Amino acid sequence: MSDSAADKGAGDGTRAVRAGLPEPVKYEPTLPGPVFAAHFHLPGDATGPYKYGRDENPTWTHLERAIGELEAPGRDDVETLVFASGMAAISSVLFSQLRAGDAVVLPDDGYQVLPLVREQLEAYGIEVHTAPTGGDAQLALLDGAKLLWIETPSNPGLDVCDVRRLAEAAHARGALVAVDNTLASPLGQRPLELGADFAVASGTKQLTGHGDVLLGYVAGTDATAMAAVRRWRKVVGAIPGPMEAWLAHRSIATLQLRVDRQNATALILAQALRERADVTGLRYPGLPDDPSYKIASQQMRRYGCVVSFTLPTRARAERFLDALRLVDDATSFGGVRSTAERRGRWGGDAVPEGFVRLSAGAEDPEDLVADVLRALDESAR
């Protein structure tokens, strides 16, 4: 990537299109194809960047550089590592930084797999404390903690906390700070600039945006901490395939286009839902009357593509989802095709039975809003 595109002055679209590309070589592709290699030629001493396929891969290298340039543009002190999934990335930070007897603070309203993570942490003798995301409630639990885990906006409730305030308080007590940046994406929020030690995300969602790749990543500023994350990846083998890494890098080129379209549509949809008497608990951080709007406006550059709300009953929510024509009933979010689901079906989220999480895709906003409003009307009969 050229210096002009890599520095902080470059726009998000320019940065996304150019991120992680190698220096141009005559007759070579601008984005080299995936490298399928379990091993590399390695005569003599085992030196050099590529030795064995579980440790490094040229396709990962390009992708890691690209993500690093999005999460921390213009910085040379950030290392990025890619993983087989978002949960592989999350696990790598938690289990590489914590030991028996340590304490960690987690959100109690975050991603629904976190309760399973808590069980495993406690099985290893790690003390786990939890608090809601909203109101910076985790502040009260920081004494004695080794690591603070933040998820903002929270999934699926869309609460937001003050990352800078929490990071400063955690660091004052000697704790590391990790932020799950999945819902915001690097174009919506840069946790490392807000004081976090790790930015962690599922690249499965908006980063890649097509629903065809499982991927995760960790970006961090502390060399010692990141060395432990890298070692964990090697030991566990939670590595992405080269094809997945290549698809992810290819997809990043359209990130700004997708994010801006999806975020704008999400706001229009939230505004339309606000007018419905049968919709309660509407949340979208970009609505001026949303409880998270003030803090989100201070630390987020874009508010995300996810809207959440509650319908009166489980049956009503299921009729609504069944009536949708432009929205897939699917569990992921951030894709170019809109998705929605009744989150209560999984049993891991403390939400009402009629709670719906909807992710705006790249459809025309007027078409998507019309489909949602029609489905609401039909499901009410």
Side-chain angles (χ1 to χ4, degrees):
M1 184 175 182
S2 67
D3 291 340
S4 60
D7 66 26
K8 290 187 177 181
D12 287 339
T14 301
R15 187 175 292 112
V17 167
R18 307 295 304 178
L21 297 181
E23 290 298 321
V25 176
K26 193 174 183 178
Y27 306 126
E28 292 295 319
T30 54
L31 177 61
V35 175
F36 299 99
H39 56 264
F40 302 84
H41 288 295
L42 195 64
D45 293 336
T47 59
Y50 306 110
K51 309 175 191 68
Y52 185 63
R54 189 183 64 247
D55 300 328
E56 291 290 353
N57 179 290
T59 310
W60 303 352
T61 300
H62 296 315
L63 175 60
E64 288 168 344
R65 287 174 181 167
I67 294 172
E69 289 164 9
L70 296 176
E71 283 283 357
R75 292 181 61 170
D76 297 325
D77 62 337
V78 173
E79 181 179 3
T80 303
L81 298 170
V82 290
F83 290 81
S85 68
M87 280 309 303
I90 289 171
S91 299
S92 75
V93 174
L94 291 169
F95 292 104
S96 70
Q97 304 303 315
L98 298 169
R99 302 288 184 272
D102 288 341
V104 60
V105 178
L106 302 178
D108 64 11
D109 55 350
Y111 182 46
Q112 55 106 359
V113 181
L114 285 182
L116 297 179
V117 174
R118 176 177 185 165
E119 290 180 11
Q120 194 62 58
L121 289 167
E122 291 176 335
Y124 289 160
I126 297 164
E127 189 176 344
V128 180
H129 304 285
T130 63
T133 298
D136 298 343
Q138 292 170 300
L139 272 175
L141 303 177
L142 291 178
D143 286 345
K146 175 72 178 297
L147 175 68
L148 167 64
W149 189 274
I150 298 171
E151 185 179 302
T152 182
S154 62
N155 177 23
L158 303 182
D159 272 324
V160 172
C161 59
D162 188 332
V163 174
R164 193 178 299 279
R165 182 184 184 210
L166 285 164
E168 289 175 354
H171 290 156
R173 292 164 173 81
L176 293 169
V177 178
V179 175
D180 186 328
N181 203 33
T182 303
L183 265 164
S185 89
L187 297 195
Q189 182 173 263
R190 294 178 183 148
L192 301 179
E193 290 185 358
L194 297 170
D197 301 289
F198 303 100
V200 187
S202 167
T204 308
K205 310 301 192 295
Q206 198 168 29
L207 185 80
T208 55
H210 291 77
D212 55 7
V213 172
L214 284 174
L215 193 87
Y217 70 84
V218 178
T221 57
D222 185 296
T224 300
M226 287 302 294
V229 173
R230 180 183 289 274
R231 184 170 58 251
W232 179 265
R233 183 178 71 173
K234 177 175 182 175
V235 170
V236 177
I239 58 173
M243 190 65 191
E244 286 79 4
W246 185 85
L247 285 170
H249 196 172
R250 178 212 60 175
S251 298
I252 284 175
T254 61
L255 180 61
Q256 182 262 336
L257 298 172
R258 292 184 281 106
V259 164
D260 281 353
R261 177 61 170 261
Q262 291 170 275
N263 289 16
T265 300
L267 177 59
I268 293 170
L269 178 61
Q271 291 168 336
L273 290 171
R274 188 168 50 183
E275 305 303 316
R276 299 281 307 203
D278 51 353
V279 169
T280 60
L282 175 66
R283 296 300 303 273
Y284 182 67
L287 286 173
D289 57 352
D290 187 273
S292 294
Y293 179 77
K294 181 178 179 181
I295 298 175
S297 297
Q298 293 169 355
Q299 68 186 22
M300 298 183 71
R301 301 163 58 242
R302 294 172 175 85
Y303 298 107
C305 63
V306 175
V307 177
S308 67
F309 56 93
T310 300
L311 295 176
T313 64
R314 169 178 176 169
R316 173 70 190 284
E318 290 175 345
R319 291 197 303 272
F320 164 71
L321 293 168
D322 187 59
L324 291 166
R325 296 294 174 262
L326 297 180
V327 183
D328 296 334
D329 190 342
T331 191
S332 196
F333 60 86
V336 291
R337 289 172 288 279
S338 294
T339 57
E341 70 169 338
R342 190 182 66 81
R343 286 298 294 175
R345 65 180 175 175
W346 298 103
D349 296 309
V351 295
E353 287 290 337
F355 181 95
V356 174
R357 185 187 70 187
L358 194 154
S359 173
E363 299 88 357
D364 289 310
E366 58 271 22
D367 292 338
L368 181 61
V369 171
D371 187 50
V372 169
L373 295 182
R374 178 196 51 78
L376 285 171
D377 289 339
E378 288 187 10
S379 64
R381 297 170 189 164

